[in-house]
Amino acid sequence: MTHAQVHHITHPLVQHKLTLMRDRNASTTTFRTLLGELSMLMAYEVTRDMPTQMVEIETPLEKMQSPVIDGKKLVFASILRAGNGMLDGLLRVVPNARVGFVGLYRDPATLQAVHYYFKMPADMDERDVIAVDPMLATGHSAVAAIDKIKSVRPRSIKFLCLLAAPQGIATLQAAHPDVAIYTAAIDRELNSHSYILPGLGDAGDRIFGTK
Ligand code: URA
């Protein structure tokens, strides 16, 4: 089966800000600010094919037909907890988008994903979901989150991250070949603790200052 595309966002501003975020000496404030800015920039790319409709407006000079998006049709689904670090930036660009949350952890004994929180808007069949998590590492949480999101039957799903490991991309594409992946970087590999190398460390800890 053919896979939906992997969109590698190579814009110089995105790459510059990502470099600053990777630096181990970036403070929590700097890291969080940069993630917000990057999320805004990446929002341009991930919403590039959003449908528009023409509405009539009046400029100071005359009436015209002009395109608008229907932001309410978009749902940013944050994969807890690190996904929350991307919400502010995304919502600045699409302020009337809806927001969903997917909370899951891996049971250490069974290694199965256990869902502890799931909240999405109503009428999902009319909405397009962008699932967000800064890190696509093993791909297991992304797959489990998208399994759950599919259970409410949205119109479409994309996956937006900052960094992806080749293994995470392969795992997500194998399980959900219809879900396009948007990332600012594809890093080399995972280490034995499933951290992305060279990566940027633990995204949740760096966003929330918990380490
Ligand atoms: N999650 C993180 O926060 N960092 C990684 O490198 C991998 C998963």
Side-chain angles (χ1 to χ4, degrees), residues 135 137 194-196 201-203:
M135 310 300 271
S194 298
Y195 277 88
I196 298 177
D202 188 300

Side-chain angles (χ1 to χ4, degrees), residues 12-199:
L13 277 173
V14 169
Q15 295 303 314
H16 174 82
K17 288 177 193 294
L18 178 57
T19 300
L20 301 181
M21 286 184 77
R22 287 183 189 267
D23 187 341
R24 65 180 304 148
N25 295 314
S27 68
T28 301
T29 313
T30 300
F31 190 90
R32 203 184 281 155
T33 303
L34 286 165
L35 181 57
E37 291 170 356
L38 265 167
S39 303
M40 288 171 67
L41 295 171
M42 294 177 81
Y44 284 139
E45 210 52 52
V46 75
T47 56
R48 184 178 284 279
D49 59 0
M50 257 185 102
T52 55
Q53 65 193 57
M54 301 305 271
V55 293
E56 186 172 284
I57 57 162
E58 215 172 326
T59 77
L61 299 174
E62 62 179 30
K63 288 185 177 168
M64 72 175 288
Q65 294 284 323
S66 198
V68 289
I69 59 163
D70 186 355
K72 295 192 294 297
K73 292 277 188 308
L74 197 60
V75 179
F76 296 123
S78 169
I79 301 176
L80 299 174
R81 72 179 160 148
N84 281 12
M86 300 178 77
L87 286 179
D88 281 354
L90 295 169
L91 288 168
R92 276 196 188 195
V93 181
V94 192
N96 52 352
R98 300 323 193 210
V99 178
F101 294 95
V102 188
L104 45 89
Y105 67 90
R106 192 151 296 273
D107 184 305
T110 63
L111 300 181
Q112 295 299 307
V114 180
H115 290 271
Y116 64 85
Y117 191 70
F118 185 65
K119 186 78 184 173
M120 297 292 275
D123 306 323
M124 287 300 294
D125 56 330
E126 296 170 5
R127 302 187 201 269
D128 301 302
V129 173
I130 300 174
V132 298
D133 187 342
M135 310 300 271
L136 177 59
T138 62
H140 294 143
S141 343
V143 168
I146 290 171
D147 285 344
K148 194 75 180 170
I149 292 168
K150 280 190 174 172
S151 71
V152 293
R153 301 188 171 278
R155 190 162 64 180
S156 72
I157 308 178
K158 293 175 178 170
F159 185 85
L160 173 66
C161 61
L162 212 50
L163 294 190
Q167 183 181 331
I169 292 175
T171 300
L172 182 50
Q173 285 189 321
H176 295 295
D178 53 319
V179 174
I181 299 169
Y182 291 75
T183 183
I186 301 172
D187 274 11
R188 193 178 67 244
E189 60 185 345
L190 299 178
N191 71 9
S192 57
H193 299 285
S194 298
Y195 277 88
I196 298 177
L197 296 176

